[in-house]
Amino acid sequence: MPKLTRRRLQSTIIDVCFIALMIFFDQFTKNMAVGHLMDKEPYPIIDGILEFHYLENRGAAFGILQNNRYFFIAASIMILLFILYFYLKIPDQKKYIPLRIVLLLLFAGAFGNNLLDRVLYGYVIDFLYFKSINFPIFNLADCYVV
């Protein structure tokens, strides 16, 4: 594990704040979806292309493995620990900043979708739908992971 220097501590604090901000935005948009979209017709943003469409996803990507809440929670914890392990192994050098950002986005996405939502609600709230290509409904945390 890299030596804990003042610079490493500062960058870790910034990274934790970044993760918290990303999770906040994800949860904020999901709460907006619940408040404005639940039990309502889809809301077109760009007619025929993009719309807000509320969905409670009890499965994984594209709705597979429906109703396996505890499996997803356990898998998320393992994935988060795996990401944390690699994050801690990254040397504190400028050339590794893109890798750190990728790990932070993966962490925020996995935490927001697969852990927080499933623990609190038992499902993931999805609301973004590309109607023109009939792409599965997704959310902001999915964007972080991708």
Side-chain angles (χ1 to χ4, degrees):
M1 186 154 77
K3 185 178 173 184
L4 185 61
T5 63
R6 182 179 177 92
R7 179 180 160 170
R8 178 67 181 205
L9 181 60
Q10 288 173 336
S11 65
T12 301
I13 290 170
I14 290 168
D15 292 347
V16 169
C17 291
F18 178 76
I19 288 173
L21 187 64
M22 300 307 286
I23 293 169
F24 169 80
F25 283 133
D26 172 58
Q27 293 300 304
F28 176 77
T29 57
K30 289 173 182 173
N31 286 331
M32 294 292 287
V34 169
H36 297 284
L37 300 172
M38 181 187 262
D39 299 324
K40 295 189 173 104
E41 291 295 315
Y43 182 83
I45 303 301
I46 303 171
D47 196 33
I49 297 175
L50 176 66
E51 63 186 30
F52 290 143
H53 188 118
Y54 184 83
L55 175 73
E56 294 174 359
N57 184 357
R58 288 171 169 72
F62 310 111
I64 62 172
L65 299 171
Q66 289 288 314
N67 299 313
N68 285 296
R69 177 182 184 186
Y70 296 107
F71 168 76
F72 291 124
I73 291 171
S76 296
I77 291 170
M78 291 189 313
I79 289 167
L80 291 169
L81 290 173
F82 188 73
I83 293 168
L84 182 62
Y85 171 79
F86 278 104
Y87 172 82
L88 293 172
K89 290 293 210 178
I90 298 172
D92 189 26
Q93 297 173 11
K94 195 173 186 174
K95 68 181 178 179
Y96 292 106
I97 290 174
L99 178 59
R100 280 189 26 230
I101 291 170
V102 167
L103 291 175
L104 297 175
L105 288 168
L106 286 172
F107 192 94
F111 188 89
N113 258 6
N114 290 323
L115 191 60
L116 195 56
D117 284 0
R118 292 187 196 280
V119 167
L120 294 176
Y121 313 116
Y123 53 84
V124 174
I125 298 165
D126 290 328
F127 59 92
L128 297 168
Y129 178 54
F130 278 102
K131 186 175 185 174
S132 62
I133 59 172
N134 194 27
F135 193 79
I137 303 170
F138 61 100
N139 61 45
L140 201 55
D142 294 323
C143 295
Y144 300 162
V145 172
V146 173

